[in-house]
Amino acid sequence: MEWKTVALALLVISLGFLAIPIRVPPDTSTEDVNLFKTYVSYYNKSYRHNPDEYERKFKGFQRSLRQIERMNRLRSTQQSAYYGLTEFSDLSEEEFLRLTLRPDLSSRGERHKNDRHHHRQHRTPGEHLNRIKRLIKIPTKNDWRTKHVVTPVRAQGSCGACWAYTAVECIESMVAIKNGTLRSFSVQEMIDCARNGNLGCNGGDICSLLSWLDDYGVPILAESAYPVTGTSGTCLLDRSKTSTVRVAGFTCDSYVGSEEELIATLVNHGPVAAAVNALTWQNYLGGIIQFHCDGAFSMLNHAVQIVGYDNSGPIPFYIVRNSWGPLFGDKGYLYIAIGSNICGIANQVAAVDVIF
Ligand SMILES: *[C@@H]1O[C@H](CO)[C@@H](O)[C@H](O)[C@H]1NC(C)=O
Ligand SMILES: *[C@@H]1O[C@H](CO)[C@@H](O)[C@H](O)[C@H]1NC(C)=O
């Protein structure tokens, strides 16, 4: 049976899976049309009765199909990343960037590149020696999820506050590591209240947020005390609804060319927040990303939490938690090869300390 028929059949029958890997030969637009019909009803797309929108989305969909073919052709091993239809496959690149990512993240991050304030913990004398000592006892793999210090995957929806999601995820993990209790903290508090150049759902960056939390000793409320709304609103940081959890220092560093130190931080400190370029994640289904993910600083457009790594197989990789819901990638996670700043993952990495 042809790949396309298989894919189509799978798409129709596999109600349990929302993402199906496909491989489609070129010049088959009738089949593209049929595939799109199935796709639209499968994802219950809101534009299914709007002809103009339908046609526009079909163009984005066809572009995805060709890109999926190209990227799957590069798979070199069983572990390599594979691509197929996702809920984002009908978006043009421009729409994906605008609706899901923050193209301004790199210019925001640029401000911290030479900011010594954020480097204080990595630049203290004696630190270098400690770091070398620590590097000696690095295990082949470490997954913080197995230690119950990682909260369930969230869905940021159309709110461009990846920076807030990621920072809060790291705060949750650090509280759990220190106290043995895994609790969810408020992302909405960060969206509504964080100053320092952050703009709620319209953008911000991890290091500015951590710096604001640290400098002003802002209490970090529980998720239940300040629940997520998905839009930017007025700050409701009511001092009576307080919390004892606060940020007590953080680092914001580049590990480009020294990813073994990033691994050491992951082992000795805990999960970290990282800025990334997620442009090619539009049709990601699973596996380890090794190619087609530009690592340039200027390409940073998203933020994620790195919750572990695995050096035991032929392709060492980071375990990366996204905030696009549990249906994205592998139950909301993805895997990025270690060692050559793939997707820009080592450009801007934040580690946070908490007190309570
Ligand atoms: C499909 O979407 C419409 C709104 O666009 C909604 O009313 C309906 O419940 C959805 N159906 C399913 C099966 O999700
Ligand atoms: C720390 O653990 C104790 C005991 O389980 C719990 O009562 C307390 O709320 C926890 N503190 C934080 C900040 O999670």
Side-chain angles (χ1 to χ4, degrees):
M1 205 164 20
E2 208 186 316
W3 254 100
K4 190 146 197 174
T5 323
V6 176
L8 197 57
L10 275 175
L11 194 62
V12 177
I13 60 170
S14 66
L15 290 170
F17 301 93
L18 285 183
I20 312 298
I22 56 159
R23 181 132 45 99
V24 189
D27 308 320
T28 50
S29 57
T30 327
E31 292 194 29
D32 288 0
V33 169
N34 290 332
L35 200 53
F36 188 55
K37 265 191 211 147
T38 315
Y39 174 84
V40 168
S41 68
Y42 189 81
Y43 285 98
N44 193 24
K45 294 284 184 181
S46 61
Y47 53 80
R48 64 200 180 287
H49 305 304
N50 176 342
D52 292 344
E53 177 83 347
Y54 193 94
E55 200 166 311
R56 219 167 45 72
K57 293 289 201 228
F58 179 58
K59 292 213 172 71
F61 181 80
Q62 280 196 302
R63 179 188 139 272
S64 279
L65 291 180
R66 301 295 92 79
Q67 195 177 42
I68 290 164
E69 292 174 295
R70 262 200 315 280
M71 290 171 68
N72 281 342
R73 230 181 275 130
L74 270 151
R75 301 192 69 218
S76 53
T77 70
Q78 277 298 315
Q79 287 82 42
S80 301
Y82 51 98
Y83 298 86
L85 296 175
T86 70
E87 62 171 308
F88 306 114
S89 299
D90 56 351
L91 301 178
S92 69
E93 186 169 281
E94 183 276 323
E95 278 176 314
F96 183 62
L97 200 55
R98 181 164 48 81
L99 299 175
T100 315
L101 306 173
R102 295 299 332 159
D104 60 347
L105 206 71
S106 60
S107 49
R108 290 176 172 280
E110 201 70 42
R111 292 189 311 220
H112 306 293
K113 265 180 135 173
N114 302 308
D115 193 344
R116 253 193 293 131
H117 171 74
H118 301 293
H119 291 265
R120 57 189 175 214
Q121 295 184 357
H122 277 270
R123 297 289 176 267
T124 50
E127 181 65 16
H128 184 63
L129 201 66
N130 287 338
R131 218 187 285 151
I132 289 169
K133 276 196 219 138
R134 288 193 311 242
L135 286 178
I136 295 165
K137 44 175 186 173
I138 295 302
T140 40
K141 59 182 174 182
N142 183 40
D143 183 351
W144 284 104
R145 293 176 298 180
T146 63
K147 293 161 190 159
H148 310 293
V149 299
V150 178
T151 50
V153 168
R154 290 177 166 99
Q156 65 179 81
S158 54
C159 171
C162 51
W163 52 279
Y165 278 88
T166 310
V168 169
E169 286 160 12
C170 288
I171 290 166
E172 290 168 342
S173 295
M174 295 319 293
V175 169
I177 289 171
K178 251 185 125 161
N179 197 47
T181 48
L182 184 60
R183 293 165 53 201
S184 296
F185 288 94
S186 176
V187 177
Q188 196 63 39
E189 174 187 342
M190 310 308 151
I191 293 173
D192 294 348
C193 306
R195 301 289 166 260
N196 236 3
N198 296 305
L199 298 168
C201 289
N202 295 320
D205 84 277
I206 307 161
C207 304
S208 308
L209 171 59
L210 293 176
S211 159
W212 176 74
L213 289 170
D214 194 15
D215 291 349
Y216 297 98
V218 182
I220 299 156
L221 298 188
E223 164 76 39
S224 56
Y226 201 149
V228 76
T229 62
T231 54
S232 316
T234 325
C235 178
L236 303 173
L237 192 55
D238 179 355
R239 298 272 166 173
S240 66
K241 242 194 310 190
T242 191
S243 161
T244 55
V245 178
R246 286 173 169 75
V247 165
F250 66 99
T251 58
C252 226
D253 279 316
S254 166
Y255 292 91
V256 178
S258 57
E259 287 183 52
E260 67 291 346
E261 285 185 32
L262 172 46
I263 300 292
T265 304
L266 269 172
V267 171
N268 296 301
H269 185 83
V272 295
V276 288
N277 167 14
L279 202 55
T280 58
W281 302 1
Q282 186 174 1
N283 301 302
Y284 173 86
L285 295 187
I288 307 165
I289 300 177
Q290 303 163 268
F291 313 106
H292 280 299
C293 212
D294 191 337
F297 196 95
S298 61
M299 294 295 287
L300 298 177
N301 51 33
H302 190 43
V304 290
Q305 187 189 24
I306 311 177
V307 300
Y309 67 93
D310 190 330
N311 273 339
S312 65
I315 315 166
F317 61 88
Y318 296 107
I319 303 166
V320 178
R321 172 195 183 173
N322 203 354
S323 49
W324 295 347
L327 298 178
F328 169 81
D330 184 5
K331 302 185 178 76
Y333 284 82
L334 64 152
Y335 308 102
I336 296 178
I338 294 172
S340 43
N341 193 27
I342 303 291
C343 303
I345 197 160
N347 279 315
Q348 196 190 14
V349 179
V352 60
D353 280 312
V354 292
I355 45 161
F356 42 84

